[in-house]
Amino acid sequence: MKLKKDIAISDSGFLFNPSSGDSYTANPIATEILKYMQSGFSNEQIIVSIMESYEVERSTIEKDLFDLESMLSNYKLTR
Amino acid sequence: MKKKEKKIYERPLIRPLNASISNKFGRRTEWLPLTHIDGIPVVDLINEFGSPLFVYSEKKIRDNFMMAKRAFETRYPKIQFAWSYKTCYLNAVCNVYHQMGSWAEVVSGFEYEKALQNGVPGDKIIFNGPDKSKHDLLLAMKNNTLIHIDHFDELYLLTELASSSKSKPRVAIRINMDTGVYPQWDRFGFNYENGQAWEAVNKILMNDALDLVGIHTHIGTFMMTPSAYAVATAKMTELAIQIKKKFNHIITYIDMGGGFASKNTLKGSYYAGADAVPDIGEYAEAITSALLNAGFDRNNLPFLYLETGRALVDDTGFLLGTVLANKRLADGRRATILDFGVNTLFTSFWYDHKISPAQEMGHYAEETILYGPLCMNIDVVRDAISLPPLKPGQHVVAQYVGAYNITQSMQFITFRPAVVMIDREGRSHLIRKRESLDYVQKNEILPSHLKKLNW
Ligand SMILES: Cc1ncc(COP(=O)(O)O)c(C=O)c1O
């Protein structure tokens, strides 16, 4: 899934969508994932990276990533 | 080389920041975890007694009662509380109140027998309500119980029973009235404004079959306005004084019923209950000032009886539960499914219950709908709450659930849960077992022609 190009993401988890003016807040792990997305990681790469640094099972992160993506498209942050 | 330690995982979350002033998704404090109840970890309670689980704090019951008692006794010399059984009639809970000197207030033959079995003397039971059978009335007369007459049919029946038994039952009449709060509870008792109450008094005192010892009212429940009690008390005292004037008959008690609000949040109210509801002292002030200003002879003040229910017990009860699953609804909202629903937490029909995580969580919260496990659309425990992301298997605690849940919860689809009371020394006692198939089916009778199945 690809984020819209012009979305700004701060390290503290603040997101700004300049085309709508809406802002969002993300928790640290979501911020990390959004940054991976911005740098063009595939879902598989994201899952592996998260599993490397967090104590989490594959089934959980898969489910949660899918859920995060549905939220992002719901907020119209994806292209 | 030592492997790098991994970080604790939390579900990734993103939520819009909106600048709107009112946030219908609950309050910051709800995210704060409630990990222990009276010193016992929630998770230990669930491991020992199962989930869901009701928990009562004996300490809190006693503290609340002492506080209410003090609020009234420091303002008026003659106070008697009677525990309103319907609010929670678990025997263990009732007996905590009885140990502290509270009488019993009952509204059915079933509740009456329960109070007697708990060891409450018959003359310390107030028998209210429109539904007393002839059998109930005879038993109550025999036990010298205070019978609160609800309607003329009951008045005639009781007069008849008294005349043929040669005893003179102690009675009061239930009165309803306009206190400026609507809807008016005029279904119960005799109306004050239209003269019905006065007519009932006349009938009783002219006939001499019954001993009119008190007058009773219950102006409503979850009353947010103490001033309504001032109005009601003034009308009650006026009636007592008129009775003295016309019949030279002294009313020994005025029973003001229940109805003080608890710390809960009524659905649709903007402020959290704990911030919005009057303190018990405000109700006490309204009622006792009206009594003291009524013009009674100081040596002959009537007793004030109180049947306070939810305000005493609501915040002493907790419902512990477990997350079953999470879902994303078609419109993007998050839904969390719990192992208790409206069958168990019946009061979620009118309260936005405070529901907190039972373990330490991150600071990010998400707007969530809380569903119960029933396969029904109405099974919504909270329709909008802001909670940290909960994982299946994690626990939550619903707070302020001590009133009207045990008595109104339904055995529907699941068994009703166990109930535990934590005593003042921090020991937990099972006070009601979780229901079982045997228990639920005990009264069923299967006709013999339906016993055999031919597969
Ligand atoms: C006669 C009577 N007394 C006392 C109560 C207890 O009321 P609450 O729980 O609002 O204090 C009720 C409840 O409806 C009642 O009907």
Side-chain angles (χ1 to χ4, degrees):
Chain A
M1 173 158 294
K2 291 207 158 63
L3 277 188
K4 277 190 180 156
K5 275 225 172 75
D6 50 357
I7 305 279
I9 305 172
S10 81
D11 287 341
S12 64
F14 180 75
L15 258 80
F16 183 62
N17 179 358
S19 54
S20 69
D22 290 335
S23 48
Y24 303 85
T25 174
N27 65 355
I29 184 160
T31 311
E32 197 172 326
I33 294 173
L34 291 166
K35 295 214 161 182
Y36 291 141
M37 286 180 174
Q38 270 194 329
S39 45
F41 275 36
S42 69
N43 274 9
E44 183 54 31
Q45 286 170 310
I46 293 176
I47 290 168
V48 171
S49 310
I50 293 294
M51 284 175 63
E52 268 167 17
S53 44
Y54 290 89
E55 194 60 62
V56 61
E57 283 171 28
R58 186 176 182 95
S59 60
T60 305
I61 175 66
E62 268 182 14
K63 221 168 44 192
D64 289 349
L65 181 60
F66 178 74
D67 183 59
L68 181 69
E69 288 179 342
S70 73
M71 289 314 292
L72 293 171
S73 66
N74 192 44
Y75 295 144
K76 305 197 171 47
L77 294 170
T78 54
R79 57 185 156 114
Chain B
M1 204 178 79
K2 195 166 157 249
K3 223 175 129 216
K4 205 177 106 197
E5 198 139 300
K6 290 190 178 182
K7 288 186 267 187
I8 294 173
Y9 177 82
E10 188 181 58
R11 188 150 56 82
L13 277 187
I14 177 168
R15 69 182 159 88
L17 284 169
N18 29 32
S20 73
I21 325 153
S22 93
N23 174 11
K24 71 183 174 110
F25 286 98
R27 296 147 202 98
R28 175 78 182 82
T29 53
E30 279 174 318
W31 318 346
L32 296 178
L34 186 79
T35 57
H36 291 66
I37 297 172
D38 284 0
I40 307 186
V42 167
V43 61
D44 289 1
L45 288 164
I46 286 181
N47 286 342
E48 185 171 354
F49 300 104
S51 175
L53 176 72
F54 277 105
V55 177
Y56 277 86
S57 160
E58 183 182 344
K59 179 176 184 310
K60 194 97 184 79
I61 296 177
R62 288 181 184 268
D63 289 352
N64 285 359
F65 184 77
M66 288 316 292
M67 201 149 68
K69 201 163 171 259
R70 210 171 305 128
F72 279 91
E73 284 183 348
T74 50
R75 292 176 166 93
Y76 193 77
K78 295 165 92 172
I79 303 288
Q80 179 61 55
F81 279 90
W83 176 239
S84 163
Y85 263 46
K86 72 172 88 60
T87 315
C88 176
Y89 44 57
L90 285 165
N91 294 337
V93 171
C94 294
N95 276 9
V96 177
Y97 289 106
H98 298 325
Q99 277 190 357
M100 288 185 294
S102 205
W103 294 2
E105 183 268 331
V106 302
V107 291
S108 68
F110 154 72
E111 286 189 355
Y112 184 56
E113 280 183 43
K114 218 167 189 303
L116 289 172
Q117 275 194 16
N118 276 336
V120 185
D123 64 353
K124 294 184 167 46
I125 302 178
I126 294 170
F127 203 154
N128 276 322
D131 175 23
K132 308 179 197 82
S133 68
K134 194 167 159 181
H135 168 82
D136 297 335
L137 290 172
L138 286 170
L139 191 62
M141 282 163 57
K142 194 172 125 235
N143 291 326
N144 201 19
T145 291
L146 294 166
I147 302 171
H148 285 191
I149 302 169
D150 185 81
H151 44 74
F152 280 113
D153 291 321
E154 187 173 69
L155 174 52
Y156 289 126
L157 174 60
L158 191 60
T159 307
E160 211 180 284
L161 294 175
S163 310
S164 53
S165 78
K166 285 187 281 185
S167 67
K168 195 168 179 181
R170 296 187 306 150
V171 303
I173 52 166
R174 165 87 175 251
I175 292 161
N176 68 66
M177 61 180 77
D178 183 358
T179 59
V181 172
Y182 304 96
Q184 196 177 324
W185 277 38
D186 57 2
R187 245 183 63 193
F188 306 99
F190 304 91
N191 185 255
Y192 180 88
E193 285 82 13
N194 71 8
Q196 233 178 43
W198 187 241
E199 197 187 324
V201 166
N202 276 278
K203 280 211 155 63
I204 295 172
L205 290 175
M206 309 279 264
N207 187 302
D208 206 35
L210 311 174
D211 185 11
L212 184 68
V213 286
I215 46 179
H216 170 228
T217 191
H218 171 73
I219 59 174
T221 193
F222 213 90
M223 304 290 292
M224 299 286 278
T225 40
S227 61
Y229 283 95
V231 175
T233 311
K235 290 187 177 178
M236 296 291 274
T237 56
E238 173 62 23
L239 187 63
I241 286 167
Q242 287 307 320
I243 293 172
K244 170 82 170 57
K245 262 196 199 137
K246 178 165 176 200
F247 296 96
N248 197 26
H249 178 88
I250 290 178
I251 291 296
T252 60
Y253 69 87
I254 294 182
D255 181 345
M256 291 304 295
F260 307 153
S262 72
K263 290 191 187 117
N264 252 305
T265 306
L266 279 182
K267 276 190 190 299
S269 118
Y270 178 71
Y271 295 106
D275 307 327
V277 301
D279 179 77
I280 195 115
E282 296 176 56
Y283 296 108
E285 187 62 32
I287 294 173
T288 57
S289 316
L291 279 171
L292 291 170
N293 294 330
F296 288 116
D297 172 3
R298 289 280 155 149
N299 301 315
N300 239 333
L301 286 175
F303 260 95
L304 169 62
Y305 287 4
L306 295 156
E307 304 168 350
T308 313
R310 71 177 82 228
L312 289 177
V313 83
D314 223 3
D315 69 347
T316 71
F318 304 81
L319 177 58
L320 322 187
T322 304
V323 174
L324 298 177
N326 286 297
K327 281 188 179 178
R328 183 70 63 188
L329 302 179
D331 63 5
R333 284 178 303 164
R334 183 96 195 159
T336 294
I337 304 170
L338 304 172
D339 65 352
F340 61 80
V342 295
N343 52 342
T344 307
L345 193 61
F346 189 82
T347 51
S348 43
F349 284 124
W350 59 82
Y351 288 145
D352 280 339
H353 277 294
K354 177 168 172 170
I355 297 180
S356 312
Q359 50 279 308
E360 296 297 337
M361 312 281 308
H363 291 298
Y364 286 82
E366 190 184 20
E367 294 156 0
T368 309
I369 304 180
L370 295 180
Y371 288 128
L374 310 178
C375 304
M376 310 196 57
N377 259 344
I378 55 154
D379 194 22
V380 182
V381 173
R382 276 290 301 265
D383 53 11
I385 184 171
S386 183
L387 280 177
L390 289 156
K391 284 186 284 206
Q394 287 189 317
H395 304 303
V396 296
V397 181
Q399 297 177 63
Y400 313 141
V401 305
Y404 297 105
N405 278 304
I406 301 291
T407 45
Q408 292 191 71
S409 66
M410 295 169 271
Q411 189 279 307
F412 176 57
I413 298 188
T414 62
F415 295 123
R416 287 191 297 173
V419 188
V420 161
M421 179 182 280
I422 302 176
D423 70 19
R424 282 174 291 174
E425 277 76 49
R427 290 172 305 216
S428 45
H429 303 263
L430 184 63
I431 60 170
R432 188 174 200 270
K433 289 186 217 164
R434 180 175 183 261
E435 290 177 350
S436 62
L437 189 59
D438 276 350
Y439 171 86
V440 174
Q441 295 187 148
K442 191 160 178 276
N443 286 352
E444 282 195 45
I445 300 158
L446 193 62
S448 58
H449 72 284
L450 296 176
K451 283 190 176 143
K452 197 164 171 308
L453 299 180
N454 306 309
W455 292 115

